[in-house]
Amino acid sequence: MTQPLVLLDLDGTLMDSAPGITSSVAHAYRALGIPVPDDATLRTFVGPPITDSFPDHGVPPERTAEAVAAYREAFTAGGMFDNAVFDGVPDVLRALRDAGCTLLVATSKPEVYAKPICDRFGISDLVDGVHGAPLDEGTSTKADVIAAALAAQGRRSPVDPAEGPVLMVGDREHDVHGATVHGIDCLGVSWGYAAPGELEAAGAVAVVDEVPALAPAVRDLLSPAL
């Protein structure tokens, strides 16, 4: 049996990235001359592929590419670093590594942005790899990102318990659904951007409400491998 593998969502799980994402989304709406959604709607953009979110919230499908380009203009100009690691997350990552877990970031954010963000905020030093979507997010799902992360570790899908346990940790329903495709349980965290009851309805195996409780919850779910 190999080491337990923990897949970690980035936005809303390890980092509070809402300020930079929502401001960049608002810029895109203004650039297209479309009314900017309210704050609650803007927060729903954090997590899922941006190419899915724009058509879901008033951007005509034929203008999605234009909206994405405007969003990335603001995002790469500084929005990507308008971000912060949630208090206590570095301690959680150190505790899980000390417990013998392999840790991989698995995010729907394009990998070309995810890696520099993880480098800038010190996440890269605390995990064993960072996996994200291709720049054309419309060609990738969370399940695809998880598939790439598994392949990088030589793991099969659906996961084989004989190769060691695997757990996903995320804050949105697409984290749960993406993990389920590969036969992986997802532990939800409530400090992210999910609507009330979203994680439970999606089938999260449990939901953690406080960052310090995350490492013990992960260890409990991976026991007796740890």
Side-chain angles (χ1 to χ4, degrees), residues 67-136:
V68 170
Y71 166 82
R72 288 181 175 161
E73 176 183 45
F75 191 69
T76 58
M80 64 188 289
F81 296 126
D82 187 3
N83 207 341
V85 179
F86 286 115
D87 290 344
V89 160
D91 291 336
V92 169
L93 299 180
R94 292 187 190 101
L96 291 176
R97 263 190 160 178
D98 289 346
C101 296
T102 297
L103 307 179
L104 298 179
V105 171
T107 174
S108 292
K109 185 187 295 297
E111 194 168 296
V112 295
Y113 302 141
K115 286 188 172 180
I117 290 169
C118 288
D119 289 346
R120 169 76 71 92
F121 290 94
I123 296 293
S124 296
D125 294 335
L126 301 174
V127 300
D128 301 288
V130 177
H131 299 273
L135 198 55
D136 181 3

Side-chain angles (χ1 to χ4, degrees), residues 19-37 39 42 54 59 63 66-67 70-71 73-74:
I21 292 174
T22 58
S23 65
S24 300
V25 170
H27 168 82
Y29 278 89
R30 289 192 293 268
L32 270 62
I34 298 173
V36 177
D39 289 345
L42 288 174
F54 278 125
V59 174
R63 301 193 72 186
E66 184 184 355
Y71 166 82
E73 176 183 45

Side-chain angles (χ1 to χ4, degrees), residues 149-165:
L150 292 172
Q153 294 294 311
R155 301 284 188 117
R156 289 176 284 182
S157 176
V159 295
D160 182 350
E163 295 179 343

